[in-house]
């Protein structure tokens, strides 16, 4: 049975049991406590917490997941992965332990035809109910039910949130994979007993203080790794031998020419695993960066590329391997086919960038080798290797390989000390982030039960009651002048920060006071929190107040948000439908729009995009809001900007006849209300991601006016008509370029003349000269050697240039008597005295990195070596 059949059999089985089949959610979770979707239950967390009403009491999914907590084990064990698929069935207050156990056993034994003799069960040592269900209802022999503790049989989604006892089903692979210990049984670290299914009995909600609170209703969350159950059904010892991985490994074997055997086996597995994760992360809109999800992706690409090098793959290869992943997974994830070009291009750019990192790192490593030899050391500083790894991304194991080729090594102890110091810094940062999450959780616990009705789509002002008032000390009955407050209203026109749009500001006007609202944000699903300061009098909980939004700020937010929709459509029209929004920010002072594209926009393209947006503004198109189901929105071609898979109703914003997107923000009613649109800048913010910054409305008019004033000032400065201004400026630039070229040629000739004269006057066999002119470069010196090569006098010429305390330059020969010298070898030896590095041809060598105060020592040592090799 192949993996596609397994997925379908699972979903069909649970559909027969009354479950609604739902698609996989994105790898980007709608959860501030999680970086990535790490389990099948993540999309359903609000249902487990009772904060959101599920559409169906029973559902089942095949959920794509990514975890990097055990990254160092991936490829070196049979089962660890970064990307994996979790088969899961869920109950939201419907059935509980008994049905969950019966369903799982029936699927494994009767649908997959697994031998009952091979199956074992574990339960939490305190969960007597689950023990008796397995023994008395399902009929599992008591000796095959293992009692385990919290480490094995208590499941949690994170530091806070849903959790509960769990029961696991194991498959026994037999004695051949056993550790041989008499006490070997499920829970042992060996490969004999494979955990294939985890049934989580969701009973508790872990609070920010670590305490367990019973959930409003009992739930079931199960997870069975597709990769694991595939290995069982397909009769192989490792997940990597299943049809999910084997075609990738076969492709790697073909490319590398190596066999998949014990010594190279982990390398094949690491690459095969990581390329799957990389493919799905990019498909879900994650792009390489130096933080968050983007850093996870970058790290996986680099790690896979490094292990590819161990297989002899010395140039980018992952970008082609993603097509093998897509071929394997396309039947169940057809969206991969549509995004294949995007995925491949992102990976290729990242591979190329990392390849350059490796090459530049090698240059720095050579300097370390030179320094170590000069000082007579056999080891390089571990701190320097860590810096190379931490700052430049140069792998420590590659550094060790290079050093060993030179008969050197680096200090493991120093490297580990630096790594530990970084780990402690990272731990501190994590603790600070975790505390922030706990603070958010505490606020959610305090306010999550309150609900606010948002009225701001239709009105910017309205009466409402203060449901709750908080100061820094906690809940309070009233707040006086000068106090910072958080308050929740029964109804509010204030739009909270979400969907990339900034929050509204304004005032809360009370019978005996007034508060200025500076920030508005969401807690939970529907509690809108107003943060501000009491400027006059006092506010009191329970009183009726007037909430008034700053209309000018709201207007600018609506202008810029509407323009992001116009901009998105214009980009897709002009650059292609593959353009995908990767993020946005909408503020009072402008907008930022991030999108996937693999080349800078030309000036013509920028002008065309700007012109199309303005054309739609001038057409005065109606902006219409409607509500529908997600399925209907997709059928009608609406662009989804965020994941609303499990929402019953979605909000659609249409610019009639032009664009349609899912969006919850505030907008204009007609495009002409935006006035004008102006692109300020366009540039890269990461591999394959571009950013446009723009302004609209009054701010766009100001920008056009400033540009007009600049043109006027330039026209007056060069005293020419506006129609000829561009030609004039281009002429001046060309003239300046020509003058610079002539000046460079003059300097080069002057240098040649100076050196030629000094060589003719010198009686030394090794002639040296140090230039202090900062405008000179290596290319200026090369013609000197071209002109001196055929001089009758035999000389070794050393020309250096001082820049920022270091000397770089060239060493070459003239005449015939010293043509037998290998300058490359001599210069490398002389640099051991002074430090620095060099390389080139036997009769023309480039060097660099020589400290200014070691210049004389370098020349003296080179002179000694020349005389030794070619005495007069």
């Amino acid at each position: 049975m192949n993996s596609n059949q397994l997925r379908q059999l699972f979903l069909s089985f649970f559909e027969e049991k009354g479950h609604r089949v739902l698609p996989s959610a994105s790898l980007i979770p709608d959860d501030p406590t999680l970086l990535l979707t790490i389990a099948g239950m993540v999309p359903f967390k609000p249902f487990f917490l009772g904060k959101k009403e599920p559409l169906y009491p029973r559902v089942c999914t095949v959920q794509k997941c990514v975890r990097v907590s055990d990254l160092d084990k991936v490829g070196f064990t049979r089962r660890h992965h970064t990307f994996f698929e979790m088969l899961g069935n869920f109950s939201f207050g419907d059935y509980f332990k008994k049905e969950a156990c019966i369903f799982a056993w029936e699927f494994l034994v009767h649908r997959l035809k697994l031998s009952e003799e091979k199956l074992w069960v574990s339960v939490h040592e305190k969960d007597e109910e689950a023990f008796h269900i397995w023994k008395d209802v399902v009929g599992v022999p008591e000796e095959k039910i293992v009692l385990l503790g919290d480490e094995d049989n208590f499941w949690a989604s994170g530091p806070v949130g849903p959790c509960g006892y769990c029961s696991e089903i194991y498959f026994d692979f037999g004695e051949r994979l056993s550790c041989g210990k008499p006490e070997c049984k499920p829970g042992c670290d060996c490969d004999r007993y494979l955990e294939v299914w985890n049934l989580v009995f969701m009973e508790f909600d872990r609070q920010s203080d670590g305490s367990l609170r019973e959930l409003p209703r009992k739930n079931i969350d199960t997870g069975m790794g597709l990769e694991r159950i595939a290995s069982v059904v397909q009769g192989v010892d490792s997940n990597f031998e299943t049809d999910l991985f084997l075609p990738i490994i076969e492709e790697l074997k073909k490319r590398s020419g190596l066999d998949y055997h014990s010594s190279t086996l982990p390398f094949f597995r690491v690459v095969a695993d990581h390329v799957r994760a990389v493919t799905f992360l990019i498909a879900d809109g994650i792009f390489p960066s130096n933080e968050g999800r983007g850093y996870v992706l970058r790290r996986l690409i680099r790690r896979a590329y490094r292990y590819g090098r161990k297989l002899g793959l010395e140039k980018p290869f992952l970008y082609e391997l993603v097509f093998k992943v897509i071929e394997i997974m396309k039947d169940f994830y057809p969206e991969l086919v549509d995004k294949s070009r995007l995925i491949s291009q992102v990976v290729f750019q990242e591979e190329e960038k990392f390849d350059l990192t490796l090459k530049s790192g090698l240059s720095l490593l050579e300097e370390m080798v030179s320094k170590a030899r000069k000082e007579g050391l056999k080891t390089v500083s571990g701190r320097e290797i860590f810096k190379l790894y931490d700052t430049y991304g140069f792998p420590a194991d590659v550094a060790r390989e290079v050093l060993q080729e030179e008969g050197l090594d680096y200090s493991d102890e120093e490297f580990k000390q630096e790594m530990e110091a970084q780990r402690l810094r990272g731990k501190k940062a994590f603790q600070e982030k975790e505390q922030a999450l706990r603070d958010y959780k505490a606020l959610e616990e305090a306010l999550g039960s309150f609900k606010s009705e948002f009225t701001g789509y239709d009105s910017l002002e309205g009466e409402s009651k203060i449901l709750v008032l908080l100061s820094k000390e906690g809940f309070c009955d009233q707040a006086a002048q000068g106090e910072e407050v958080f308050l929740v209203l029964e109804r509010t026109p204030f739009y909270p920060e979400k969907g990339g749009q900034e929050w509204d500001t304004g005032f809360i006007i009370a019978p005996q006071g007034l508060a200025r609202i500076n920030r508005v944000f969401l807690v939970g699903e529907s509690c809108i929190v107003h943060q501000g300061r009491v400027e006059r009098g006092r506010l009191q909980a329970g009183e009726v107040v007037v909430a008034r939004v700053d209309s000018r700020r709201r207007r600018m937010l609506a202008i810029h948000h509407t323009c992001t929709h116009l901009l998105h459509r214009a980009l897709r029209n002009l650059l292609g439908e593959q353009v995908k929004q990767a993020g946005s920010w909408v503020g009072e002072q402008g907008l930022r729009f991030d999108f996937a594209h693999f080349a800078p926009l030309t000036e013509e393209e920028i002008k065309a995009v700007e012109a199309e947006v303005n054309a739609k503004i001038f057409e005065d198109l109606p902006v219409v809001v409607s509500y529908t189901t997600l399925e209907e929105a997709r059928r009608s071609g609406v662009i989804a900007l965020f994941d609303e898979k499990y929402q019953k109703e979605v909000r659609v914003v249409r610019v009639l006849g032009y664009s349609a997107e899912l969006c919850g923000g505030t907008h204009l009613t007609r495009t002409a209300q935006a006035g004008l649109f102006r692109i300020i800048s366009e540039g890269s913010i990461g591999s394959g991601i571009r950013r446009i910054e723009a302004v609209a409305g009054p701010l766009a008019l100001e920008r056009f006016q400033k540009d007009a004033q600049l043109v006027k000032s330039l026209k007056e400065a060069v005293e020419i008509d506006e129609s000829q201004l561009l030609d004039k400026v281009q002429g001046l630039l060309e003239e300046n370029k020509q003058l610079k070229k002539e000046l460079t040629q003059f300097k080069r000739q002057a240098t040649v003349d100076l050196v030629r004269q000094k060589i003719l006057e010198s009686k030394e066999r090794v002639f040296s000269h140090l230039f202090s002119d900062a405008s000179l470069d290596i290319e200026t010196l090369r013609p000197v050697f071209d002109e001196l090569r055929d001089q009758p006098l035999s000389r070794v010429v050393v020309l250096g240039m001082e820049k920022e305390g270091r000397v770089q330059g060239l060493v070459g020969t003239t005449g015939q008597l010293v043509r037998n010298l290998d300058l490359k070898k001599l210069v490398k030896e002389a640099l051991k005295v002074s430090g620095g590095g060099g390389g080139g041809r036997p009769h023309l060598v480039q060097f660099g990195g020589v400290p200014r105060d070691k210049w004389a020592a370098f020349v003296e040592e080179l002179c000694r070596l020349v005389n030794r090799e070619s005495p007069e």
Side-chain angles (χ1 to χ4, degrees), residues 56-98:
Y56 316 102
R58 304 178 178 194
V59 302
C60 61
T61 62
V62 177
Q63 176 62 50
K64 52 195 177 185
C65 305
V66 168
R67 291 182 196 168
V68 289
S69 52
D70 293 319
L71 191 59
D72 58 327
K73 295 180 181 178
V74 173
F76 293 86
T77 70
R78 300 169 190 266
R79 313 295 175 194
H80 283 90
H81 302 295
T82 53
F83 173 83
F84 55 95
E85 294 173 86
M86 193 61 75
L87 311 175
N89 57 289
F90 307 88
S91 166
F92 310 119
D94 187 15
Y95 63 83
F96 200 45
K97 295 183 184 180
K98 178 182 174 181

Side-chain angles (χ1 to χ4, degrees), residues 579-637:
V579 168
K580 179 184 176 184
Q581 180 173 340
S584 69
W585 167 82
V586 175
E588 184 179 357
Q589 297 302 315
L591 67 90
R592 289 196 303 267
F593 189 83
D594 302 336
F595 59 100
H597 192 57
F598 290 91
L601 270 65
T602 64
E603 284 299 320
E604 290 74 18
E605 287 172 330
I606 292 171
K607 284 163 64 177
V609 169
E610 186 178 83
E612 180 161 329
V613 172
N614 278 312
K616 296 306 169 184
I617 290 173
F618 300 153
E619 285 180 34
D620 194 23
L621 301 173
V623 181
V624 178
V625 174
S626 62
Y627 294 85
T628 185
T629 64
L630 184 61
E631 290 78 10
E632 180 56 37
R634 280 177 172 161
R635 279 197 295 270
S636 60

Side-chain angles (χ1 to χ4, degrees), residues 507-569:
F507 297 92
I508 301 293
I509 305 164
Q512 300 179 58
L514 178 143
R516 179 184 293 275
I517 301 303
N518 300 314
R519 187 182 170 214
V520 187
F521 57 95
L522 268 177
V523 168
E525 292 292 323
S526 55
C527 181
I528 299 174
V529 181
H530 307 71
Q531 181 179 354
R533 177 186 291 271
V534 180
E535 293 197 339
R536 186 176 71 244
R538 65 178 177 80
L539 266 62
Q540 189 165 325
E543 68 182 348
V544 175
V545 296
V546 174
R548 182 179 296 160
V549 172
D550 180 339
S551 60
R552 185 190 180 282
R553 177 175 167 83
R554 167 66 80 85
R555 180 76 167 183
M556 292 305 297
L557 291 172
I559 286 172
H560 286 131
H561 204 151
T562 304
C563 283
T564 63
H565 290 238
L566 299 177
L567 174 60
H568 192 188
R569 185 68 262 172

Side-chain angles (χ1 to χ4, degrees), residues 79-148:
R79 313 295 175 194
H80 283 90
H81 302 295
T82 53
F83 173 83
F84 55 95
E85 294 173 86
M86 193 61 75
L87 311 175
N89 57 289
F90 307 88
S91 166
F92 310 119
D94 187 15
Y95 63 83
F96 200 45
K97 295 183 184 180
K98 178 182 174 181
E99 293 85 352
C101 296
I102 292 172
F103 289 159
W105 197 259
E106 182 182 345
F107 180 74
L108 292 176
V109 174
H110 299 293
R111 291 298 172 92
L112 294 187
K113 308 297 183 183
L114 300 185
S115 169
E116 292 186 51
E117 298 299 315
K118 293 283 188 180
L119 298 177
W120 288 64
V121 170
S122 72
V123 298
H124 194 277
E125 56 195 5
K126 295 180 182 178
D127 195 352
E128 294 182 8
E129 181 186 3
F131 178 84
H132 287 295
I133 289 170
W134 283 117
K135 177 177 174 290
D136 301 328
V137 179
V138 179
V140 178
E142 185 173 345
E143 64 270 17
K144 299 188 78 174
I145 305 174
V146 182
L147 301 180
L148 298 173

